[in-house]
Amino acid sequence: MKKRILLKIKLLPHSEYKKLARILKIRFGLNLDTTRNLLQALEEECKKIDPQFSYTTEYGFLSPTVVGSYDPETHVIYVSPETYDKAYQGDVFALYTIVHEISHWALLTVFHVKPEFVILELPLAHASTTDAEFYADMLSFYLMMPSSVFSGKKNIKSLLTKGKKRGIYNMSLIILNNRRYCRAIGFKHPAGFSTAKKTA
């Protein structure tokens, strides 16, 4: 019987996402918990940190089924016109798409957190993902939730019952809930699938 190769890996802990989100919020000078602030980050603040950064909503860069992506070589975030328009109207899924792409940009370009191509199983979401997507989702949660929650000044429960912004807080908690428990089930090499298994 052939033995599997087990490679021990370490995923970023929650404390690390929290720290990186705090640093980025300080550099932006705002929380990404409102439509206005999120779009301001995309349109103005990212460029102040990274002069190469740009974003586009032009057709031709994305396939019809992709609503957003980030190219680390050109430092460009691509957002479909429909996604941008919906985000401008306050649609939480569209806003999440944008903050997710900002998270990819921040992790790769600002913080130099490189993915290891680990395939993760998410039992609660009945899905699998890669460490790059997992990292962007988790950083998005900490960026979308107001800093006052993590400092203990505000209660999450009160945020979910009051105000116009509760949708974005709900979205953040769904992200966290679906990614709270995960396990590494394999390794994807950039050139193809490897037979090695990784354990987290």
Side-chain angles (χ1 to χ4, degrees), residues 68 95-105 132-137 140 144:
L95 290 169
Y96 167 69
T97 296
I98 292 174
V99 79
H100 176 89
E101 299 311 330
I102 288 174
S103 295
H104 275 306
W105 162 79
E133 295 303 314
F134 181 86
Y135 287 177
D137 282 343
S140 296
M144 292 167 84

Side-chain angles (χ1 to χ4, degrees), residues 31-43 67-68 77 79-80 82-103 136-137 140-141 143-144 164-169 171-172 175:
N31 280 316
L32 303 189
D33 61 346
T34 65
T35 302
R36 180 179 176 183
N37 287 357
L38 205 158
L39 293 178
Q40 182 183 334
L42 178 72
E43 296 168 356
V67 293
I77 285 178
V79 179
S80 71
E82 292 86 1
T83 300
Y84 183 87
D85 291 343
K86 286 179 181 178
Y88 191 80
Q89 299 299 321
D91 180 90
V92 292
F93 292 102
L95 290 169
Y96 167 69
T97 296
I98 292 174
V99 79
H100 176 89
E101 299 311 330
I102 288 174
S103 295
D137 282 343
S140 296
F141 163 75
L143 289 172
M144 292 167 84
K164 295 178 182 177
K165 297 189 287 186
R166 66 174 174 256
I168 203 164
Y169 302 143
M171 185 72 203
S172 301
I175 295 161

Side-chain angles (χ1 to χ4, degrees), residues 161-179:
T161 57
K162 297 177 182 176
K164 295 178 182 177
K165 297 189 287 186
R166 66 174 174 256
I168 203 164
Y169 302 143
N170 270 315
M171 185 72 203
S172 301
L173 291 172
I174 289 168
I175 295 161
L176 178 65
N177 188 46
N178 285 337
R179 275 126 181 87

Side-chain angles (χ1 to χ4, degrees), residues 3-164:
K3 287 186 178 179
R4 288 185 300 177
I5 303 167
L6 294 176
L7 303 172
K8 192 75 176 173
I9 60 145
K10 186 177 180 182
L11 297 174
L12 286 180
H14 279 263
S15 58
E16 195 67 18
Y17 301 113
K18 188 175 176 182
K19 181 175 78 175
L20 297 178
R22 185 171 180 273
I23 291 168
L24 197 59
K25 287 177 181 181
I26 289 169
R27 294 189 71 178
F28 282 161
L30 41 81
N31 280 316
L32 303 189
D33 61 346
T34 65
T35 302
R36 180 179 176 183
N37 287 357
L38 205 158
L39 293 178
Q40 182 183 334
L42 178 72
E43 296 168 356
E44 300 171 26
E45 304 304 326
C46 293
K47 184 80 174 173
K48 291 177 186 175
I49 296 172
D50 174 16
Q52 285 184 269
F53 175 86
S54 65
Y55 79 97
T56 182
T57 59
E58 296 290 322
Y59 270 119
F61 295 102
L62 297 172
S63 69
T65 57
V66 179
V67 293
S69 70
Y70 173 63
D71 184 346
E73 290 185 14
T74 59
H75 299 224
V76 177
I77 285 178
Y78 299 99
V79 179
S80 71
E82 292 86 1
T83 300
Y84 183 87
D85 291 343
K86 286 179 181 178
Y88 191 80
Q89 299 299 321
D91 180 90
V92 292
F93 292 102
L95 290 169
Y96 167 69
T97 296
I98 292 174
V99 79
H100 176 89
E101 299 311 330
I102 288 174
S103 295
H104 275 306
W105 162 79
L107 286 164
L108 290 167
T109 308
V110 180
F111 301 121
H112 307 289
V113 176
K114 306 293 183 187
E116 294 189 56
F117 304 99
V118 181
I119 303 167
L120 303 169
E121 182 181 60
L122 306 169
L124 290 180
H126 303 290
S128 61
T129 187
T130 62
D131 57 337
E133 295 303 314
F134 181 86
Y135 287 177
D137 282 343
M138 292 303 294
L139 183 59
S140 296
F141 163 75
Y142 285 99
L143 289 172
M144 292 167 84
M145 291 298 283
S147 302
S148 56
V149 169
F150 305 115
S151 65
K153 293 178 183 174
K154 275 193 180 176
N155 185 299
I156 291 179
K157 192 173 180 181
S158 67
L159 292 174
L160 298 178
T161 57
K162 297 177 182 176
K164 295 178 182 177

